[in-house]
Amino acid sequence: DGGITQSPKYLFRKEGQNVTLSCEQNLNHDAMYWYRQDPGQGLRLIYYSQIVNDFQKGDIAEGYSVSREKKESFPLTVTSAQKNPTAFYLCASSGREGYQPQHFGDGTRLSIL
Amino acid sequence: GEDVEQSLFLSVREGDSSVINCTYTDSSSTYLYWYKQEPGAGLQLLTYIFSNMDMKQDQRLTVLLNKKDKHLSLRIADTQTGDSAIYFCAERENSGYSTLTFGKGTMLLVSP
């Protein structure tokens, strides 16, 4: 089945540690996105990538980094500079044409130990 | 900048119709989407509508778009307990490869 796979489902971070969230898609989509969701909030865009080896900052990029070395993969690193990382992280992808909607993975919940 | 507003909570009885409302500010919005999120899960695309349409129907779902008032609604007919979830409205500009702007979501609670 085509879809978006995020792993792990749950992740714990110690103080001062960097952690990496995985996102893989087999939909042959050009664009990929990372969002952060906090309780009672909508989705806030962290980073997005429209093509391999290129990505742009979203609204809340500070404390996060990404890479896009392959079309299928868009990992997100939550660095120690992100002081409030506890949240639900969602990855999405979409086709190149403007009308094509974003499709989402099942999310990763990150907590601080 | 763009802004998308939704009411935060809606409670209905099983079998009734539910209407979830959304307003947006960007007049250049071309595509408008409704997503459903169940607890602990990602967002599931329900339906979408182009700004040159007034209405779209898909089984129990009806989307109405009032471009003049920048108002979008999602009607769920014969609401079931399985429809209990958070519903997000999102809009996308018609400016190349633009990103989505989401509302904060409406929590729908369906009671038996």
Side-chain angles (χ1 to χ4, degrees), chain B residues 17-88:
Chain B
S17 291
S18 307
V19 179
I20 301 171
N21 294 302
C22 171
T23 58
Y24 59 96
T25 57
D26 190 346
S27 58
S28 67
S29 294
T30 301
Y31 310 107
L32 295 135
Y33 306 87
W34 283 104
Y35 287 88
K36 175 184 179 182
Q37 184 181 34
E38 297 183 2
L43 272 65
Q44 173 194 352
L45 178 69
L46 288 177
T47 187
Y48 58 96
I49 190 168
F50 301 151
S51 62
N52 61 357
M53 298 167 66
D54 297 322
M55 184 182 93
K56 182 178 180 181
Q57 188 153 3
D58 184 0
Q59 299 182 330
R60 291 191 297 124
L61 305 179
T62 302
V63 178
L64 294 177
L65 175 61
N66 181 328
K67 290 184 286 292
K68 175 175 170 291
D69 295 337
K70 300 194 186 80
H71 182 266
L72 182 73
S73 67
L74 174 69
R75 179 177 181 269
I76 307 173
D78 186 26
T79 313
Q80 304 297 308
T81 54
D83 294 324
S84 293
I86 300 176
Y87 291 80
F88 289 95

Side-chain angles (χ1 to χ4, degrees), chain A residues 9 30-31 35 37 41-42 45 48 50 88 90 94-96 98-102 104-106, chain B residues 8 31 33 35 37 40-43 45 48 50 88 92 96-100 102-105:
Chain A
K9 190 164 178 66
D30 289 302
Y35 293 91
Q37 186 178 27
Q41 300 289 318
L45 183 64
Y48 64 104
Q50 297 173 353
F88 190 50
L90 288 160
S94 70
R96 180 181 292 276
Y99 66 89
Q100 292 183 337
Q102 293 182 17
F104 284 80
D106 287 335
Chain B
L8 293 181
Y31 310 107
Y33 306 87
Y35 287 88
Q37 184 181 34
L43 272 65
L45 178 69
Y48 58 96
F50 301 151
F88 289 95
R92 184 175 193 172
Y97 218 153
S98 60
T99 58
L100 294 181
F102 286 86
K104 287 193 163 89

